[in-house]
Amino acid sequence: MFKKILIANRSEIAVRVIRACKELGIRTVAVYSDIDKESMHVKMADESVCIGPASPEQSYLNLPAILTAAELTDAVAIHPGYGFLSENTQFAEACATSGIVFIGPTPENMRLGGDKAKARQIMKKKGVPVVPGSDGPVESVSAAAKVARKIGYPVMLKASMGGGGRGMKIVNAEGELEEAFLIAQREALTSFGSSELYLEKYIHGIRHIEVQILADSKGEVAHLGERECSIQRRHQKIIEESPAVIPERLRKKVGDYAVKAAKAIRYKNIGTVEFILSPEDEIYFMEFNTRIQVEHPITEAVMGVDLVKEQILVSAGHPLRFKRIYKPRGAAIECRINAEDPEKFIPSPGKIELFTLPGGPGIRVDTAAYAGWNVPPQYDSLIAKLIAHGADRQEAITRMRRALDEFQIEGIKTTIPFHKRVLADKNFLEGKIDTGFIERLNAAEPALK
Ligand code: ADP
Ligand code: ADP
Ligand code: MG
């Protein structure tokens, strides 16, 4: 087993990884930017190293500084968390060159996960259905127009290297295509360092269903059920639940596709295969996420497994411990508590004056925030994940509503009021959800001013 792991991340996910390491008897090294000196992950780790100023480029994305920190502290492995360098193939390769284990999939897996146009092509070839669209990237406006005419509008232009819900443009008619294409190309280049785009049919009223995968270095693959992540704003998840409210037939199908997808690319380590479920119950591959996800705790709750510990174990060469078919126990929901205005979802950084956590049966809070801590404006606005687990969906929802009432945060705005609205909504309670849910909720019942 690894003696010491460096965690190349911050906030709740760094704390989450440190906890797994403590249970495995592994020493931990935190890295931090100037502004994160007083952070909880720094306090919890056995050692810590400052890696630069607040700006992410100079700290949490600073490859040489992080590798130097690992060498100075004799860390034998690096856990990248999610976001930041977690999907950076160059970083994974640099770790290998330095003789440090990158806790994640192989560079080949990551390269494919990061290249969404390529991944589509390969999945299609391997018999995993993909959304109708271009076969690989679209090089020009005319090439895009040709594909779009064939599949019909609306279509979606997506950045091949995109992520985090950014770099996507819906195009409703051919007249809008050229302008959208040029804007999308420019945005893709500035955000992801590549202007490459691909094109998909834009499907209204879809549900985002994803499958948790865990694979060992021998190529044994297990899937740990699916998550429903359709409650999204700006193509970003905000509430997730597991299991998804879908018929058994579809549950089995999406799980089978995920395992097939993982085996097709000889996937190693933890990962997620994301799918679209169309209103006609068609399942289409969307993308691979080659890392631990934000929403992994809901799977942990229903499957009774510590995914981060299992991820570290398979990275150390251990075989999968659970080869049996996983059976979900009850239902779990996660609400992402962001430091944001709950109506417009605009970041609301600043000092937290009061922070009272909920508790009791079935409640878990993953956070690195505390009263007196300043939420910095430089990073992601996620400050806590509230997870409720119950015997069934109904109980999970009831618990979540109770916990949201108990959770007191003052000094900054948070998404808690938004979550309360969703969890009181009749359609949500009946499981009538798709990615248009928030828009409809706001149209029907504008948030109280
Ligand atoms: P990212 O890499 O940013 O996560 P995804 O390809 O996973 O991008 O898409 C993010 C979200 O955008 C999806 O969860 C879904 O809500 C929406 N989306 C993506 N592709 C389509 C599509 N073809 N039709 C409708 N919605 C889509
Ligand atoms: P998850 O499925 O784990 O919730 P998200 O799409 O919400 O994944 O991304 C998790 C985190 O990683 C978010 O903070 C998001 O902004 C960030 N992220 C994901 N992909 C990228 C990317 N390509 N570039 C920059 N940030 C990203
Ligand atoms: Mg995605």
Side-chain angles (χ1 to χ4, degrees):
M1 184 39 65
F2 304 124
K3 279 209 166 56
K4 200 191 268 184
I5 290 178
L6 179 142
I7 297 107
N9 214 303
R10 62 183 297 281
S11 187
E12 68 86 19
I13 192 61
V15 166
R16 172 71 189 88
V17 176
I18 292 170
R19 286 183 171 140
C21 289
K22 289 217 160 132
E23 290 185 26
L24 289 168
I26 298 169
R27 289 182 62 80
T28 51
V29 181
V31 294
Y32 63 96
S33 69
D34 283 348
I35 207 172
D36 273 345
K37 199 169 188 305
E38 300 300 323
S39 287
M40 195 182 277
H41 77 285
V42 176
K43 293 175 186 160
M44 280 176 70
D46 296 308
E47 295 167 58
S48 60
V49 181
C50 181
I51 46 167
S55 98
E57 290 71 29
Q58 292 179 280
S59 50
Y60 299 103
L61 293 171
N62 185 342
L63 243 103
I66 292 170
L67 288 171
T68 306
E71 274 162 29
L72 284 174
T73 54
D74 291 321
V76 293
I78 296 184
H79 195 301
Y82 55 71
F84 293 124
L85 293 171
S86 62
E87 290 169 296
N88 186 312
T89 314
Q90 201 196 338
F91 180 59
E93 283 169 340
C95 287
T97 308
S98 309
I100 295 166
V101 175
F102 175 83
I103 301 181
T106 65
E108 293 72 42
N109 293 161
M110 290 169 70
R111 209 169 285 122
L112 191 68
D115 189 342
K116 296 165 74 179
K118 185 84 189 289
R120 260 174 69 83
Q121 259 177 332
I122 292 184
M123 286 307 125
K124 197 174 166 192
K125 215 180 285 164
K126 300 283 182 181
V128 181
V130 299
V131 188
S134 59
D135 189 24
V138 279
E139 311 288 354
S140 62
V141 179
S142 61
K146 210 168 142 192
V147 182
R149 241 174 264 144
K150 204 168 111 199
I151 59 174
Y153 287 88
V155 297
M156 204 176 202
L157 287 168
K158 296 168 99 170
S160 294
M161 306 293 162
R166 290 171 306 127
M168 280 178 272
K169 283 248 165 317
I170 300 170
V171 186
N172 290 301
E174 185 153 338
E176 299 169 15
L177 186 67
E178 180 163 7
E179 196 189 342
F181 190 91
L182 297 176
I183 295 174
Q185 258 192 335
R186 209 165 40 234
E187 285 180 1
L189 185 64
T190 37
S191 301
F192 310 112
S194 156
S195 63
E196 191 179 285
L197 303 177
Y198 66 107
L199 190 145
E200 275 180 3
K201 173 100 188 147
Y202 178 73
I203 309 173
H204 274 291
I206 62 137
R207 290 166 68 181
H208 173 121
I209 308 278
E210 60 181 33
V211 179
Q212 179 67 58
I213 290 292
L214 184 65
D216 64 20
S217 51
K218 304 248 157 26
E220 194 86 46
V221 180
H223 86 72
L224 291 92
E226 78 291 342
R227 294 183 286 255
E228 158 92 55
C229 312
S230 301
I231 308 292
Q232 302 183 347
R233 51 100 163 83
R234 294 188 222 110
H235 307 303
Q236 291 170 341
K237 303 159 187 171
I238 183 138
I239 299 178
E240 305 94 346
E241 60 180 289
S242 184
V245 186
I246 48 175
E248 281 313 309
R249 172 182 65 84
L250 291 179
R251 194 186 320 284
K252 178 161 185 338
K253 200 165 164 182
V254 77
D256 289 346
Y257 279 151
V259 172
K260 192 170 177 177
K263 285 193 170 156
I265 64 163
R266 294 177 209 282
Y267 196 81
K268 307 270 156 65
N269 215 263
I270 208 157
T272 298
V273 195
E274 295 188 336
F275 295 92
I276 279 177
L277 176 60
S278 80
E280 292 78 35
D281 283 352
E282 294 296 333
I283 295 169
Y284 301 111
F285 167 86
M286 189 156 48
E287 67 158 343
F288 270 101
N289 285 158
T290 55
R291 55 175 159 88
I292 188 91
Q293 306 267 129
V294 173
E295 58 274 20
H296 75 274
I298 54 175
T299 298
E300 297 190 317
V302 296
M303 294 300 177
V305 53
D306 181 325
L307 287 172
V308 179
K309 260 165 47 176
E310 297 308 317
Q311 180 190 17
I312 294 170
L313 286 168
V314 295
S315 297
H318 290 243
L320 276 191
R321 290 206 287 185
F322 309 93
K323 284 182 192 158
R324 62 183 170 81
I325 304 293
Y326 287 89
K327 279 252 177 295
R329 195 176 59 83
I333 300 182
E334 172 182 273
C335 289
R336 297 193 190 194
I337 315 293
N338 295 339
E340 281 173 19
D341 173 305
E343 289 162 37
K344 301 193 185 78
F345 299 118
I346 294 164
S348 169
K351 188 172 177 183
I352 299 180
E353 301 291 352
L354 177 87
F355 198 73
T356 310
L357 292 175
I363 295 299
R364 164 176 170 181
V365 187
D366 277 21
T367 185
Y370 54 88
W373 180 64
N374 252 301
V375 180
Q378 283 88 350
Y379 312 113
D380 198 274
S381 60
L382 181 77
I383 55 163
K385 303 189 307 202
L386 179 55
I387 300 104
H389 183 212
D392 52 24
R393 187 172 190 263
Q394 180 57 53
E395 189 177 50
I397 290 174
T398 312
R399 282 205 167 131
M400 181 59 88
R401 292 176 66 169
R402 163 181 72 74
L404 286 166
D405 284 339
E406 286 177 24
F407 211 153
Q408 300 295 316
I409 303 176
E410 281 172 21
I412 54 164
K413 289 182 183 170
T414 76
T415 45
I416 289 176
F418 163 80
H419 290 300
K420 288 183 181 171
R421 273 173 72 212
V422 174
L423 271 90
D425 181 77
K426 186 169 163 290
N427 288 316
F428 182 82
L429 298 179
E430 289 172 4
K432 288 184 189 151
I433 49 183
D434 61 61
T435 52
F437 177 88
I438 293 180
E439 213 172 295
R440 287 195 301 276
L441 182 75
N442 285 335
E445 170 211 344
L448 297 176
K449 288 280 167 298

